[in-house]
């Protein structure tokens, strides 16, 4: 069976506090976009994982799909499987590709082996694999976006080194509900941008170029390095295509 895990962008991102366990509490809104990996699972004699496409850092046994298999096998009688992941979602871009792969793996296993898991149960498993994973279980979308991917990799560690958590005066969710998209530029921000833009001028330049091209709203997604723009009509971004990957109508 094959499924196609999709990426996400973050509309706004507030880092509200650092937790005792060393992680951070965030306030953000995920939005699914049409850039996809391909995930295939077939029954096999032994558990295995292989990948193609973009290179995936780290050991195969540490991949979230493998961790998801062991998590499910703790509660269900599963046969060994062979997992193949074709990676197309850029890594280190703030697009949540690894989280999507993990969540789709849970969805795929539920379908293929008729585990009978509800959305709530699949979400519970996904949360154990990572904070972002649960979103991709339901994975709902509404409108179109253009995305620019500079030739830069931002690690999560680098992104968090430059931020200072702070409680917000007004909830991001309230702002999104109350303010029209034309006003988001004034109210909706990504806390990672301040330090990332300081260290990576090319990413700051992409955001500026999207506004110059007529974006109603533009922002870095997650911890970067990708930047998206929301437009009223398809923009001309040819000037960005020489140095960046550009995805339209995502």
């Amino acid at each position: 069976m094959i499924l196609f895990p999709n990426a996400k962008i973050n509309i706004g991102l507030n880092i509200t506090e650092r937790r005792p366990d060393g992680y951070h509490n965030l306030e953000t809104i995920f939005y699914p976009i049409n850039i996809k990996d391909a995930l295939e699972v077939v029954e096999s004699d032994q558990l295995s994982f292989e990948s193609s496409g973009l290179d995936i850092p780290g050991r195969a046994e540490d991949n979230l799909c493998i961790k998801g298999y062991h998590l499910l096998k703790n509660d269900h009688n599963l046969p060994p499987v062979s997992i193949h992941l074709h990676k197309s979602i850029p890594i280190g871009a703030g697009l949540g590709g690894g989280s999507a792969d993990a969540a789709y793996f849970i969805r795929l296993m539920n379908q293929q082996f008729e585990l009978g898991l509800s959305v709530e149960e699949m979400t519970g498993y996904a949360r154990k694999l990572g904070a972002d994973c649960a979103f991709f279980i339901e994975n709902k979308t509404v409108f179109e976006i253009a995305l620019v991917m500079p030739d830069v990799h931002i690690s999560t560690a680098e992104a968090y080194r430059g931020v200072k958590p702070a409680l917000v005066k007004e909830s991001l969710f309230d702002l999104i509900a109350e303010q029209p998209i034309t006003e988001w530029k004034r109210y909706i921000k990504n806390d990672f941008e301040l330090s990332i833009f300081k260290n990576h001028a090319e990413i700051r330049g992409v955001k500026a170029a999207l506004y110059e091209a007529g974006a109603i709203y533009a922002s870095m997604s997650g911890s970067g390095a990708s930047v998206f723009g929301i437009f009223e009509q398809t923009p001309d971004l040819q000037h960005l295509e020489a140095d960046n990957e550009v995805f339209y109508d995502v």
Side-chain angles (χ1 to χ4, degrees):
M1 180 178 286
I2 301 177
L3 291 181
F4 298 91
N6 61 273
K8 58 82 182 166
I9 56 173
N10 298 74
I11 300 177
L13 195 154
N14 298 321
I15 303 167
T16 58
E17 60 182 340
R18 184 179 176 88
R19 303 188 328 218
D21 62 6
Y23 290 93
H24 292 76
N25 287 331
L26 310 179
E27 181 189 44
T28 188
I29 293 175
F30 286 173
Y31 188 88
I33 60 174
N34 194 30
I35 300 174
K36 299 180 178 181
D37 291 339
L39 178 65
E40 181 182 34
V41 172
V42 295
E43 194 168 340
S44 181
D45 294 331
Q46 61 182 7
L47 177 64
S48 65
F49 175 89
E50 63 177 6
S51 65
S52 57
L54 298 176
D55 184 54
I56 301 175
R59 303 182 306 166
E61 55 265 38
D62 293 329
N63 187 273
L64 288 178
C65 292
I66 290 289
K67 292 184 177 181
Y69 175 85
H70 291 302
L71 195 62
L72 290 170
K73 189 168 176 56
N74 286 337
D75 299 327
H76 302 275
N77 183 24
L78 295 176
V81 295
S82 174
I83 306 167
H84 184 93
L85 175 63
H86 183 78
K87 195 70 184 165
S88 298
I89 300 172
I91 298 168
L95 298 176
S99 297
D101 297 334
Y104 269 75
F105 177 79
I106 290 171
R107 291 170 55 177
L108 190 156
M109 294 292 287
N110 187 46
Q111 293 178 44
Q112 185 160 333
F113 295 105
E114 299 180 347
L115 302 182
L117 298 174
S118 66
V119 169
E120 291 76 16
E121 289 171 320
M122 287 190 291
T123 299
Y125 282 114
R127 280 202 184 94
K128 294 178 181 178
L129 295 172
D132 293 356
C133 296
F135 166 76
F136 292 98
I137 295 296
E138 292 196 78
N139 199 33
K140 296 179 180 178
T141 186
V142 183
F143 47 82
E144 297 180 357
I145 294 165
L147 180 77
V148 180
M149 179 62 213
D151 187 20
V152 182
H153 179 281
I154 305 295
S155 71
T156 303
E158 176 188 353
Y160 276 99
R161 276 198 301 269
V163 299
K164 294 181 179 179
L167 295 177
V168 294
K169 295 180 180 179
E170 189 169 4
S171 165
L172 175 61
F173 300 94
D174 291 339
L175 288 171
I176 291 289
E178 295 168 1
Q179 300 295 335
I181 293 179
T182 53
E183 295 296 312
W184 285 7
K185 183 178 180 179
R186 296 174 55 195
Y187 297 101
I188 310 300
K189 61 184 177 65
N190 181 332
D191 282 349
F192 285 116
E193 287 187 351
L194 185 62
S195 63
I196 295 297
F197 284 1
K198 186 184 299 183
N199 297 326
H200 299 278
E202 60 271 55
I203 304 177
R204 181 179 67 245
V206 167
K207 180 176 178 179
L210 289 172
Y211 274 125
E212 289 171 4
I216 305 169
Y217 177 74
S219 174
M220 192 172 73
S221 179
S223 55
S226 64
V227 184
F228 68 89
I230 300 175
F231 295 85
E232 291 183 318
Q233 55 189 7
T234 302
D236 180 3
L237 300 179
Q238 291 185 40
H239 58 298
L240 292 175
E241 292 176 357
D243 300 316
N244 311 275
E245 286 188 88
V246 181
F247 303 90
Y248 295 92
D249 295 334
V250 296

